[in-house]
Amino acid sequence: MTDMTLAAARRALAAREISAVELVDSHNKAIESLNGDVNAFIITTPEQAREAAKAADTLLAKGEGGLLCGIPLGVKDLFCTNGVRTTAASNILRDFVPPYESAVTANLLSEGAIFLGKTNLDEFAMGSTNLTSAFGGVTNPWRRSGSDAKLVPGGSSGGSAAAVAAGMVLGATGTDTGGSIRQPAAFCGITGVKPTYGRCSRFGTIAFASSLDQAGPMARNLEDCAWMLEAMAGFDKRDSTSVDRPVPRYADALERGVKGMKVGIPREYRAPNMPREIEALWEQGIAWLREAGAEPVEVSLPHTKYGLPTYYIVALAEASSNLARYDGVRFGERVKADSLDALYEATRHAGFGEEVRRRILMGTYVLSSGYYDAYYLRAQKVRTMIQRDFLSAFEKVDVLLTPTAPSAAFAHDEKPTDPVQVYLNDVFTVPASMAGVPALSLPAGLDAQGLPLGLQLIGRYFDEETLFAAGRVMEKAAGFSTRPALFAEFGA
Amino acid sequence: MSYRIEGTTGTWEIVVGLEVHAQVISNAKLFSGASATYGGEPNTHVSLIDAGFPGMLPVVNGECVAQAVRTGLGLNAVIHLESRFDRKNYFYADLPQGYQISQFAHPIVGEGKVVVDLADGSQREIGVTRLHLEQDAGKSIHDQDPTRSFIDLNRSGVALMEIVSEPDIRSPEEAGAYLRKLRQILRYIGTCDGNMEEGSMRADVNVSVRKAGEPFRTRCEIKNVNSIRFVMQAIEVEAQRQVEIWEAGGIVDQETRLFDHARGETRSLRNKEDAHDYRYFPDPDLLPLVIERDWVDELKAALPELPEAKRARLEETYGVTRYESGVLTAEQSVADFYEAVARDRDPRLAANWMLGDFFGALNRTGHAIDDSPVSADGLRELLGLIADSTINGKIAKEVLEDMFETGESASAIVERKGLRQVTDTGAIEAAIRDILATNADKLAEYKSGKDKLFGFFVGQTMKAMKGKGNPALVNDLLKKLLAE
């Protein structure tokens, strides 16, 4: 039953071929048997989930229930969940139980979704390996052929990606700031959508970089993501950056096809050191779309090379400010000290991991007087130019196709010691985040070692539907059906 | 009227600019729905947003924006249709988010001006540089416990308008006049109650001194002064301190100081303001604040009559003097009261009574105009009784006192005490003849040319009539009888 897609489970539940209790039980069981190895979950809530499944069955029996009634999901532990511990994978929030529900999880709950637990992530969503979690790293369910080396799932939504890939849940929420949904989706062989900035409310989502953070779905395929996104999205007056536009039925766009569609191939994404396999997969993706009637067009996004440095200035400036509230006075274990400043220092040192501290320091530096103009202000200007790049590209094309990540998943012990090397994982995903345009990653093939590789589609503001349509064509052509080494198959 | 400090090296003038923090009158805080009411048990008016909980986001309260615009219009200032909220990052225990949201770079209100009245009757224009919206911080108390600080977040997130003046102020008196004028305007428009004791209005005072014709010298900022009197005193002692330093060959350090009114001195202040590196950047949780010209025009059209306009109108309509119009418009409620009294009464008489006996009685009984035991209608009735000669002015003073004590109407008191004035010429003549008969010696003196005794006879007659004689009739008849 864990091998079903979310979309198939919806149909089976509605037809009463399976019950929500059975579905939830089998997934709880999958988590129980696999989480020790994968560490995808920080907190699990099996009893709560079971109770919710009973209620869902009652509704389903009456032919009622929302879009996701009875569907077991994982929730990235960056979304505040009422009465359920929410840690952001940080020691400083280790024991934090919010008395409120994030907008995205509230939307999912009101559509009947059932949460099996809170998934692991890089601490405060800062990372692209999921190794910076205070609750331990996540292990990618995939293995290289003939190797037992533990691989990273990518990050920061690594727990969500791994949980979906391993069959522990049918879908999971992620958040994407510079690629945190798309890169782990690619590493774990699943599908992830970063919607347009403003499409999903950020209310109740623990902030990393406010002007970039956007919640999105992670699931086995595009249809699953379409149903989840429809449930998650929507205007929320509690978030000033939320946009008041109707939410489309994304699933309806899936079979639109790509006939006559112009697909942009950004010249600047051809990185000089890109592995041959990634290059080849990209060519394959272009071919699939062309065969389905789309016209590939080379386009230029001239400021692409500034994407990553600019991102690290803007994101870390915002992060340093957003994390100031964890001052040791109200959150985390307070470390005694002689003065208020010393108390902040000692508590924040104890509460934040190395990567978070590094990013806070960089962010504080780029905002400090004397450096603000040179770094932050300049980065904002470059960001505007990156946005213009996308706007002018979308005058010529309907969608852009690129690889998602410059490599397949690497092993835990292959993690580069140079943090800047790690940051390069986001090189293809960051520009779309800087521009706020929607983008998705879908599994398109395997590399020579049997690891999944992803392709990324980037679309116009609020034009997720075109992304789903183009993505569906590639999904069909790719026919990706390989399961990872760690995959729980329980029940019928 | 110029204010000068005579030093050993010559004459110094002072340069003062004020930053006034005025708490916006609103139902809710600037970015949350929590109550902005003053007081309450600590931490009872705090939302999750004000307390900086994870994932909580600010949403601008439109009413606070409207209040800022109204105030800007009242200060004859430029209203910026696009403004922006920045985060001002610094660590302090009473700042739950670790930053304050403030319109640092792009304020909603730009340049304006305030006309102030000085004691010698002259007026001066003080420039306003800007008005911007920002969040108040919480309150931290460090001296109640040796190891703990107490934090009250009730004020955290309350909307403040920071109104920054140009360094146009040249004397403590001008500073006082500016603050009074500003408070008067804010109260008229209803955007701040101006209550300095409760901290809903407080001032940071920037003071420097210089010799005539010099450019500005180093200034010191005296933080959070909470009364107009203290602002004036602080300027005086701080300017004196700076003159002494310069004259002794020293250098005034640019620093933040506090005013200790008990000791009459300013002292260097070590507190959160030491964090000089504030780290500003646009708040990514908030979009730029864009307002419509039409909306501003609507707010403008709905503004109440402002003090200057009201003053001019009172002078024009009621013929009151410049001085009287100033007192009558000091507060809107006084002007309203006056206009209610003056309606179909002699406006000059009404002004005299308001500013004289009525205010005297308010002061004596410890009442403000808003809780006066005698209403505007009550006073109007009393003036009516004077106008129709039911009582004379002297008796009216007695009646007013009685009204304050008993709360009865003027006519009721006149009836109860039988205070109607006597206009019966026969009765008056009889009283006069009595007086003249019993004061034959004075009468003889008068007749031999001592005219001044006329007043004595008037007084004696009125006294005999228990003050109820109609003064005009008494005068006329006395003249006639003395001439016999």
mmCIF file of all heavy atoms in Angstrom, chain A residues 100 202 204-205 210 237-238 240 321-322 324-326 330 344 364 368-369 372 376, chain B residues 48 51-56 58-59 87 89 92-93 96 99 277 279-280 285 287:
data_model
loop_
_atom_site.group_PDB
_atom_site.id
_atom_site.type_symbol
_atom_site.label_atom_id
_atom_site.label_comp_id
_atom_site.label_asym_id
_atom_site.label_seq_id
_atom_site.Cartn_x
_atom_site.Cartn_y
_atom_site.Cartn_z
ATOM 1 N N TYR A 100 0.008 27.158 17.946
ATOM 2 C CA TYR A 100 -0.661 27.610 16.712
ATOM 3 C C TYR A 100 -0.236 26.716 15.558
ATOM 4 O O TYR A 100 0.743 25.989 15.651
ATOM 5 C CB TYR A 100 -0.326 29.072 16.400
ATOM 6 C CG TYR A 100 1.143 29.414 16.516
ATOM 7 C CD1 TYR A 100 1.994 29.288 15.440
ATOM 8 C CD2 TYR A 100 1.680 29.854 17.726
ATOM 9 C CE1 TYR A 100 3.338 29.586 15.532
ATOM 10 C CE2 TYR A 100 3.033 30.151 17.847
ATOM 11 C CZ TYR A 100 3.859 30.013 16.745
ATOM 12 O OH TYR A 100 5.193 30.296 16.857
ATOM 13 N N ARG A 202 3.397 32.139 4.294
ATOM 14 C CA ARG A 202 4.528 31.810 5.162
ATOM 15 C C ARG A 202 4.144 31.859 6.633
ATOM 16 O O ARG A 202 4.981 31.628 7.498
ATOM 17 C CB ARG A 202 5.686 32.780 4.891
ATOM 18 C CG ARG A 202 6.320 32.600 3.517
ATOM 19 C CD ARG A 202 7.480 33.572 3.314
ATOM 20 N NE ARG A 202 7.034 34.950 3.341
ATOM 21 C CZ ARG A 202 7.335 35.829 4.303
ATOM 22 N NH1 ARG A 202 8.119 35.492 5.302
ATOM 23 N NH2 ARG A 202 6.869 37.063 4.250
ATOM 24 N N GLY A 204 3.415 31.061 10.137
ATOM 25 C CA GLY A 204 3.647 29.868 10.945
ATOM 26 C C GLY A 204 4.749 28.962 10.433
ATOM 27 O O GLY A 204 4.980 27.892 10.994
ATOM 28 N N THR A 205 5.432 29.390 9.378
ATOM 29 C CA THR A 205 6.604 28.651 8.925
ATOM 30 C C THR A 205 7.824 29.360 9.495
ATOM 31 O O THR A 205 7.952 30.578 9.343
ATOM 32 C CB THR A 205 6.704 28.648 7.383
ATOM 33 O OG1 THR A 205 5.454 28.239 6.859
ATOM 34 C CG2 THR A 205 7.797 27.708 6.920
ATOM 35 N N SER A 210 13.161 35.444 4.587
ATOM 36 C CA SER A 210 11.746 35.738 4.349
ATOM 37 C C SER A 210 11.410 36.072 2.905
ATOM 38 O O SER A 210 10.318 35.751 2.448
ATOM 39 C CB SER A 210 11.304 36.896 5.237
ATOM 40 O OG SER A 210 11.708 36.672 6.561
ATOM 41 N N LYS A 237 -4.304 36.628 4.755
ATOM 42 C CA LYS A 237 -4.061 38.019 5.117
ATOM 43 C C LYS A 237 -3.081 38.163 6.278
ATOM 44 O O LYS A 237 -2.650 39.271 6.593
ATOM 45 C CB LYS A 237 -5.378 38.749 5.400
ATOM 46 C CG LYS A 237 -6.205 38.233 6.540
ATOM 47 C CD LYS A 237 -7.487 39.078 6.586
ATOM 48 C CE LYS A 237 -8.438 38.865 7.740
ATOM 49 N NZ LYS A 237 -8.374 37.760 8.613
ATOM 50 N N ARG A 238 -2.712 37.056 6.889
ATOM 51 C CA ARG A 238 -1.719 37.130 7.969
ATOM 52 C C ARG A 238 -0.289 37.190 7.425
ATOM 53 O O ARG A 238 0.661 37.364 8.183
ATOM 54 C CB ARG A 238 -1.865 35.907 8.886
ATOM 55 C CG ARG A 238 -3.219 35.837 9.592
ATOM 56 C CD ARG A 238 -3.417 34.492 10.253
ATOM 57 N NE ARG A 238 -3.361 33.402 9.277
ATOM 58 C CZ ARG A 238 -3.449 32.117 9.598
ATOM 59 N NH1 ARG A 238 -3.593 31.766 10.852
ATOM 60 N NH2 ARG A 238 -3.388 31.185 8.657
ATOM 61 N N SER A 240 1.771 39.340 4.711
ATOM 62 C CA SER A 240 1.663 40.501 3.814
ATOM 63 C C SER A 240 2.199 40.217 2.422
ATOM 64 O O SER A 240 1.887 40.946 1.480
ATOM 65 C CB SER A 240 2.427 41.688 4.402
ATOM 66 O OG SER A 240 2.038 41.921 5.732
ATOM 67 N N SER A 321 18.891 38.282 10.780
ATOM 68 C CA SER A 321 17.846 39.071 11.430
ATOM 69 C C SER A 321 16.717 38.172 11.943
ATOM 70 O O SER A 321 16.265 38.306 13.087
ATOM 71 C CB SER A 321 17.320 40.082 10.413
ATOM 72 O OG SER A 321 16.189 40.745 10.889
ATOM 73 N N ASN A 322 16.297 37.216 11.123
ATOM 74 C CA ASN A 322 15.187 36.340 11.519
ATOM 75 C C ASN A 322 15.532 35.484 12.731
ATOM 76 O O ASN A 322 14.658 35.111 13.510
ATOM 77 C CB ASN A 322 14.811 35.414 10.361
ATOM 78 C CG ASN A 322 13.998 36.129 9.302
ATOM 79 O OD1 ASN A 322 13.324 37.107 9.591
ATOM 80 N ND2 ASN A 322 14.072 35.647 8.076
ATOM 81 N N ALA A 324 17.465 36.362 15.173
ATOM 82 C CA ALA A 324 17.822 37.160 16.352
ATOM 83 C C ALA A 324 16.867 36.893 17.509
ATOM 84 O O ALA A 324 17.226 37.030 18.666
ATOM 85 C CB ALA A 324 17.812 38.643 15.992
ATOM 86 N N ARG A 325 15.637 36.464 17.170
ATOM 87 C CA ARG A 325 14.633 36.275 18.235
ATOM 88 C C ARG A 325 14.974 35.096 19.135
ATOM 89 O O ARG A 325 14.459 34.995 20.235
ATOM 90 C CB ARG A 325 13.244 36.115 17.633
ATOM 91 C CG ARG A 325 13.049 34.853 16.812
ATOM 92 C CD ARG A 325 11.714 34.882 16.097
ATOM 93 N NE ARG A 325 11.659 36.017 15.175
ATOM 94 C CZ ARG A 325 10.529 36.524 14.692
ATOM 95 N NH1 ARG A 325 9.371 36.004 15.037
ATOM 96 N NH2 ARG A 325 10.558 37.546 13.860
ATOM 97 N N TYR A 326 15.840 34.216 18.668
ATOM 98 C CA TYR A 326 16.230 33.079 19.510
ATOM 99 C C TYR A 326 17.414 33.528 20.353
ATOM 100 O O TYR A 326 18.556 33.209 20.080
ATOM 101 C CB TYR A 326 16.547 31.864 18.642
ATOM 102 C CG TYR A 326 15.440 31.602 17.647
ATOM 103 C CD1 TYR A 326 15.598 31.843 16.303
ATOM 104 C CD2 TYR A 326 14.178 31.187 18.107
ATOM 105 C CE1 TYR A 326 14.563 31.660 15.408
ATOM 106 C CE2 TYR A 326 13.133 31.007 17.212
ATOM 107 C CZ TYR A 326 13.328 31.251 15.867
ATOM 108 O OH TYR A 326 12.287 31.085 14.991
ATOM 109 N N ARG A 330 13.973 33.503 25.766
ATOM 110 C CA ARG A 330 12.679 32.827 25.680
ATOM 111 C C ARG A 330 12.747 31.444 25.049
ATOM 112 O O ARG A 330 11.873 30.633 25.265
ATOM 113 C CB ARG A 330 11.691 33.703 24.905
ATOM 114 C CG ARG A 330 11.289 34.941 25.665
ATOM 115 C CD ARG A 330 10.715 35.979 24.745
ATOM 116 N NE ARG A 330 11.636 36.243 23.660
ATOM 117 C CZ ARG A 330 11.268 36.348 22.398
ATOM 118 N NH1 ARG A 330 10.011 36.229 22.072
ATOM 119 N NH2 ARG A 330 12.160 36.584 21.472
ATOM 120 N N TYR A 344 23.441 36.144 25.829
ATOM 121 C CA TYR A 344 23.070 35.919 24.441
ATOM 122 C C TYR A 344 24.141 35.092 23.743
ATOM 123 O O TYR A 344 23.854 34.122 23.037
ATOM 124 C CB TYR A 344 22.955 37.249 23.682
ATOM 125 C CG TYR A 344 21.780 38.116 24.049
ATOM 126 C CD1 TYR A 344 21.854 39.505 23.913
ATOM 127 C CD2 TYR A 344 20.591 37.571 24.500
ATOM 128 C CE1 TYR A 344 20.794 40.319 24.222
ATOM 129 C CE2 TYR A 344 19.521 38.375 24.806
ATOM 130 C CZ TYR A 344 19.627 39.755 24.670
ATOM 131 O OH TYR A 344 18.565 40.562 24.960
ATOM 132 N N THR A 364 25.213 39.055 9.447
ATOM 133 C CA THR A 364 25.415 40.225 10.291
ATOM 134 C C THR A 364 26.478 41.129 9.663
ATOM 135 O O THR A 364 26.340 42.349 9.628
ATOM 136 C CB THR A 364 25.855 39.776 11.696
ATOM 137 O OG1 THR A 364 24.873 38.877 12.198
ATOM 138 C CG2 THR A 364 25.970 40.964 12.640
ATOM 139 N N SER A 368 26.252 45.132 8.335
ATOM 140 C CA SER A 368 26.835 46.090 9.268
ATOM 141 C C SER A 368 27.193 47.379 8.535
ATOM 142 O O SER A 368 27.468 47.383 7.341
ATOM 143 C CB SER A 368 28.066 45.485 9.938
ATOM 144 O OG SER A 368 29.001 45.098 8.974
ATOM 145 N N SER A 369 27.163 48.464 9.288
ATOM 146 C CA SER A 369 27.376 49.762 8.649
ATOM 147 C C SER A 369 28.787 49.793 8.085
ATOM 148 O O SER A 369 29.721 49.257 8.652
ATOM 149 C CB SER A 369 27.172 50.889 9.655
ATOM 150 O OG SER A 369 28.081 50.784 10.699
ATOM 151 N N TYR A 372 27.148 47.596 4.338
ATOM 152 C CA TYR A 372 25.788 47.469 3.828
ATOM 153 C C TYR A 372 25.707 47.822 2.340
ATOM 154 O O TYR A 372 25.172 47.074 1.533
ATOM 155 C CB TYR A 372 24.867 48.366 4.657
ATOM 156 C CG TYR A 372 23.439 48.374 4.194
ATOM 157 C CD1 TYR A 372 22.558 47.389 4.626
ATOM 158 C CD2 TYR A 372 22.954 49.355 3.333
ATOM 159 C CE1 TYR A 372 21.242 47.385 4.205
ATOM 160 C CE2 TYR A 372 21.650 49.353 2.908
ATOM 161 C CZ TYR A 372 20.793 48.366 3.344
ATOM 162 O OH TYR A 372 19.490 48.367 2.924
ATOM 163 N N TYR A 376 24.919 44.317 0.773
ATOM 164 C CA TYR A 376 23.466 44.113 0.736
ATOM 165 C C TYR A 376 22.799 44.921 -0.379
ATOM 166 O O TYR A 376 22.023 44.392 -1.186
ATOM 167 C CB TYR A 376 22.831 44.441 2.085
ATOM 168 C CG TYR A 376 21.368 44.109 2.089
ATOM 169 C CD1 TYR A 376 20.948 42.794 2.271
ATOM 170 C CD2 TYR A 376 20.422 45.076 1.827
ATOM 171 C CE1 TYR A 376 19.612 42.453 2.211
ATOM 172 C CE2 TYR A 376 19.086 44.747 1.760
ATOM 173 C CZ TYR A 376 18.688 43.438 1.964
ATOM 174 O OH TYR A 376 17.369 43.120 1.886
ATOM 175 N N LEU B 48 1.169 36.806 19.779
ATOM 176 C CA LEU B 48 2.327 35.980 19.425
ATOM 177 C C LEU B 48 3.275 36.748 18.508
ATOM 178 O O LEU B 48 4.477 36.520 18.508
ATOM 179 C CB LEU B 48 1.856 34.696 18.743
ATOM 180 C CG LEU B 48 1.056 33.746 19.642
ATOM 181 C CD1 LEU B 48 0.311 32.725 18.798
ATOM 182 C CD2 LEU B 48 1.970 33.041 20.632
ATOM 183 N N ALA B 51 5.377 39.061 20.599
ATOM 184 C CA ALA B 51 6.325 38.303 21.411
ATOM 185 C C ALA B 51 7.380 37.627 20.544
ATOM 186 O O ALA B 51 8.241 36.928 21.051
ATOM 187 C CB ALA B 51 5.582 37.268 22.257
ATOM 188 N N GLY B 52 7.319 37.823 19.239
ATOM 189 C CA GLY B 52 8.350 37.312 18.341
ATOM 190 C C GLY B 52 8.377 35.797 18.249
ATOM 191 O O GLY B 52 9.443 35.203 18.148
ATOM 192 N N PHE B 53 7.219 35.159 18.253
ATOM 193 C CA PHE B 53 7.202 33.702 18.150
ATOM 194 C C PHE B 53 7.595 33.252 16.742
ATOM 195 O O PHE B 53 7.363 33.966 15.764
ATOM 196 C CB PHE B 53 5.820 33.154 18.549
ATOM 197 C CG PHE B 53 5.747 32.801 19.997
ATOM 198 C CD1 PHE B 53 5.902 33.796 20.961
ATOM 199 C CD2 PHE B 53 5.572 31.494 20.419
ATOM 200 C CE1 PHE B 53 5.877 33.491 22.313
ATOM 201 C CE2 PHE B 53 5.535 31.175 21.769
ATOM 202 C CZ PHE B 53 5.692 32.166 22.714
ATOM 203 N N PRO B 54 8.162 32.059 16.648
ATOM 204 C CA PRO B 54 8.611 31.566 15.343
ATOM 205 C C PRO B 54 7.458 31.523 14.340
ATOM 206 O O PRO B 54 6.365 31.058 14.659
ATOM 207 C CB PRO B 54 9.088 30.138 15.639
ATOM 208 C CG PRO B 54 9.451 30.148 17.087
ATOM 209 C CD PRO B 54 8.487 31.100 17.736
ATOM 210 N N GLY B 55 7.722 32.022 13.149
ATOM 211 C CA GLY B 55 6.733 31.955 12.088
ATOM 212 C C GLY B 55 5.678 33.052 12.119
ATOM 213 O O GLY B 55 4.819 33.101 11.245
ATOM 214 N N MET B 56 5.745 33.924 13.114
ATOM 215 C CA MET B 56 4.743 34.982 13.189
ATOM 216 C C MET B 56 5.156 36.145 12.298
ATOM 217 O O MET B 56 6.327 36.507 12.227
ATOM 218 C CB MET B 56 4.606 35.469 14.638
ATOM 219 C CG MET B 56 3.972 34.441 15.538
ATOM 220 S SD MET B 56 2.255 34.111 15.035
ATOM 221 C CE MET B 56 2.389 32.425 14.521
ATOM 222 N N PRO B 58 4.332 40.169 10.645
ATOM 223 C CA PRO B 58 3.656 41.451 10.867
ATOM 224 C C PRO B 58 2.701 41.781 9.712
ATOM 225 O O PRO B 58 2.997 41.472 8.562
ATOM 226 C CB PRO B 58 4.826 42.443 10.884
ATOM 227 C CG PRO B 58 5.849 41.835 9.964
ATOM 228 C CD PRO B 58 5.696 40.330 10.112
ATOM 229 N N VAL B 59 1.584 42.390 10.048
ATOM 230 C CA VAL B 59 0.667 42.909 9.017
ATOM 231 C C VAL B 59 0.324 44.338 9.438
ATOM 232 O O VAL B 59 -0.072 44.575 10.578
ATOM 233 C CB VAL B 59 -0.616 42.051 8.921
ATOM 234 C CG1 VAL B 59 -1.581 42.659 7.910
ATOM 235 C CG2 VAL B 59 -0.276 40.625 8.534
ATOM 236 N N ARG B 87 13.931 46.967 8.994
ATOM 237 C CA ARG B 87 14.256 46.370 10.290
ATOM 238 C C ARG B 87 15.507 47.052 10.820
ATOM 239 O O ARG B 87 16.468 47.238 10.090
ATOM 240 C CB ARG B 87 14.557 44.886 10.138
ATOM 241 C CG ARG B 87 13.355 44.050 9.830
ATOM 242 C CD ARG B 87 13.764 42.588 9.846
ATOM 243 N NE ARG B 87 12.682 41.731 9.425
ATOM 244 C CZ ARG B 87 12.814 40.410 9.296
ATOM 245 N NH1 ARG B 87 13.981 39.830 9.555
ATOM 246 N NH2 ARG B 87 11.791 39.678 8.928
ATOM 247 N N ASN B 89 18.124 46.227 13.428
ATOM 248 C CA ASN B 89 18.537 45.064 14.216
ATOM 249 C C ASN B 89 19.482 45.435 15.346
ATOM 250 O O ASN B 89 20.511 46.064 15.109
ATOM 251 C CB ASN B 89 19.287 44.071 13.314
ATOM 252 C CG ASN B 89 18.353 43.422 12.302
ATOM 253 O OD1 ASN B 89 17.691 42.437 12.603
ATOM 254 N ND2 ASN B 89 18.287 43.971 11.099
ATOM 255 N N TYR B 92 18.394 43.483 22.416
ATOM 256 C CA TYR B 92 18.016 44.009 23.717
ATOM 257 C C TYR B 92 16.868 43.155 24.234
ATOM 258 O O TYR B 92 16.039 42.693 23.460
ATOM 259 C CB TYR B 92 17.625 45.490 23.650
ATOM 260 C CG TYR B 92 17.847 46.172 24.978
ATOM 261 C CD1 TYR B 92 19.153 46.375 25.451
ATOM 262 C CD2 TYR B 92 16.776 46.569 25.770
ATOM 263 C CE1 TYR B 92 19.364 46.960 26.674
ATOM 264 C CE2 TYR B 92 16.987 47.170 26.996
ATOM 265 C CZ TYR B 92 18.284 47.359 27.449
ATOM 266 O OH TYR B 92 18.490 47.939 28.674
ATOM 267 N N ALA B 93 16.857 42.958 25.539
ATOM 268 C CA ALA B 93 15.914 41.990 26.095
ATOM 269 C C ALA B 93 14.453 42.381 25.888
ATOM 270 O O ALA B 93 13.581 41.531 25.854
ATOM 271 C CB ALA B 93 16.197 41.803 27.578
ATOM 272 N N PRO B 96 11.609 41.602 21.474
ATOM 273 C CA PRO B 96 11.478 40.144 21.322
ATOM 274 C C PRO B 96 11.918 39.616 19.968
ATOM 275 O O PRO B 96 12.367 38.483 19.870
ATOM 276 C CB PRO B 96 9.997 39.872 21.538
ATOM 277 C CG PRO B 96 9.371 41.143 21.900
ATOM 278 C CD PRO B 96 10.336 42.263 21.736
ATOM 279 N N TYR B 99 14.764 42.908 16.574
ATOM 280 C CA TYR B 99 14.834 44.111 15.742
ATOM 281 C C TYR B 99 13.559 44.905 15.942
ATOM 282 O O TYR B 99 12.554 44.399 16.419
ATOM 283 C CB TYR B 99 15.018 43.758 14.254
ATOM 284 C CG TYR B 99 13.993 42.792 13.689
ATOM 285 C CD1 TYR B 99 12.732 43.225 13.287
ATOM 286 C CD2 TYR B 99 14.290 41.442 13.572
ATOM 287 C CE1 TYR B 99 11.804 42.339 12.783
ATOM 288 C CE2 TYR B 99 13.354 40.546 13.059
ATOM 289 C CZ TYR B 99 12.115 41.003 12.664
ATOM 290 O OH TYR B 99 11.186 40.128 12.176
ATOM 291 N N ASP B 277 25.930 49.972 15.833
ATOM 292 C CA ASP B 277 25.796 49.311 14.546
ATOM 293 C C ASP B 277 24.418 48.662 14.450
ATOM 294 O O ASP B 277 24.218 47.521 14.795
ATOM 295 C CB ASP B 277 26.895 48.249 14.443
ATOM 296 C CG ASP B 277 27.023 47.756 13.021
ATOM 297 O OD1 ASP B 277 26.230 48.204 12.180
ATOM 298 O OD2 ASP B 277 27.908 46.926 12.779
ATOM 299 N N ARG B 279 22.401 47.943 11.882
ATOM 300 C CA ARG B 279 22.111 46.969 10.837
ATOM 301 C C ARG B 279 20.669 47.086 10.320
ATOM 302 O O ARG B 279 19.801 46.320 10.655
ATOM 303 C CB ARG B 279 22.412 45.540 11.311
ATOM 304 C CG ARG B 279 23.816 45.396 11.847
ATOM 305 C CD ARG B 279 24.255 43.964 11.950
ATOM 306 N NE ARG B 279 23.313 43.129 12.659
ATOM 307 C CZ ARG B 279 23.176 43.084 13.967
ATOM 308 N NH1 ARG B 279 23.924 43.838 14.741
ATOM 309 N NH2 ARG B 279 22.299 42.290 14.511
ATOM 310 N N TYR B 280 20.462 48.078 9.489
ATOM 311 C CA TYR B 280 19.148 48.304 8.885
ATOM 312 C C TYR B 280 19.035 47.544 7.566
ATOM 313 O O TYR B 280 20.007 47.416 6.837
ATOM 314 C CB TYR B 280 18.978 49.779 8.530
ATOM 315 C CG TYR B 280 18.752 50.705 9.675
ATOM 316 C CD1 TYR B 280 19.797 51.395 10.259
ATOM 317 C CD2 TYR B 280 17.467 50.925 10.158
ATOM 318 C CE1 TYR B 280 19.583 52.286 11.294
ATOM 319 C CE2 TYR B 280 17.240 51.806 11.189
ATOM 320 C CZ TYR B 280 18.301 52.492 11.754
ATOM 321 O OH TYR B 280 18.066 53.374 12.769
ATOM 322 N N ASP B 285 9.328 40.909 5.329
ATOM 323 C CA ASP B 285 7.979 40.411 5.614
ATOM 324 C C ASP B 285 6.897 41.405 5.198
ATOM 325 O O ASP B 285 5.710 41.077 5.239
ATOM 326 C CB ASP B 285 7.818 40.138 7.117
ATOM 327 C CG ASP B 285 8.568 38.888 7.540
ATOM 328 O OD1 ASP B 285 8.711 37.971 6.720
ATOM 329 O OD2 ASP B 285 9.017 38.837 8.704
ATOM 330 N N LEU B 287 5.536 44.454 2.448
ATOM 331 C CA LEU B 287 5.689 45.074 1.136
ATOM 332 C C LEU B 287 5.824 46.583 1.350
ATOM 333 O O LEU B 287 5.448 47.101 2.391
ATOM 334 C CB LEU B 287 4.449 44.763 0.290
ATOM 335 C CG LEU B 287 4.191 43.279 0.061
ATOM 336 C CD1 LEU B 287 2.844 43.080 -0.626
ATOM 337 C CD2 LEU B 287 5.307 42.657 -0.772
#
